[in-house]
Amino acid sequence: MIKLFLKFLEEQSVAYRITNGYEHIVDNVKNDGDHDILFAKNTFKKIDSVISEFSITHGFKLVQKYHQGEYAKNFIIWI
């Protein structure tokens, strides 16, 4: 799913940097684990709607969302 999400971000012109979980992202191995992604402050303010749109577009279910800090959120998406 992560490759699909990154493609979606690029299609939406959303800049990002992967800070964790990138080790095997380009390999053809199952890579549905935890990924930490850094967004610019202006993008972070709208990230809830970006992830909701991604989930709806691809038929995934956003099952959990919680704030970890002022500029940190966790999202769990079910395939």
Side-chain angles (χ1 to χ4, degrees), residues 12-25:
Q12 303 298 315
S13 299
V14 174
Y16 65 89
R17 293 291 178 265
I18 300 172
T19 60
N20 179 47
Y22 57 84
E23 293 85 0
H24 299 288
I25 208 161

Side-chain angles (χ1 to χ4, degrees), residues 4-70:
L4 191 59
F5 181 60
L6 298 178
K7 181 180 177 190
F8 180 81
L9 292 176
E10 290 170 10
E11 290 169 350
Q12 303 298 315
S13 299
V14 174
Y16 65 89
R17 293 291 178 265
I18 300 172
T19 60
N20 179 47
Y22 57 84
E23 293 85 0
H24 299 288
I25 208 161
V26 296
D27 298 339
N28 287 324
V29 297
K30 187 173 181 178
N31 197 353
D32 294 333
D34 181 34
H35 301 284
D36 296 338
I37 303 174
L38 180 66
F39 297 98
K41 190 175 182 179
N42 61 338
T43 301
F44 185 79
K45 291 180 181 181
K46 62 180 184 177
I47 200 61
D48 291 42
S49 62
V50 170
I51 291 177
S52 290
E53 183 179 344
F54 168 76
S55 298
I56 291 167
T57 299
H58 295 286
F60 300 139
K61 183 171 176 128
L62 178 58
V63 295
Q64 188 174 28
K65 165 179 70 170
Y66 61 93
H67 293 268
Q68 189 173 344
E70 185 175 355

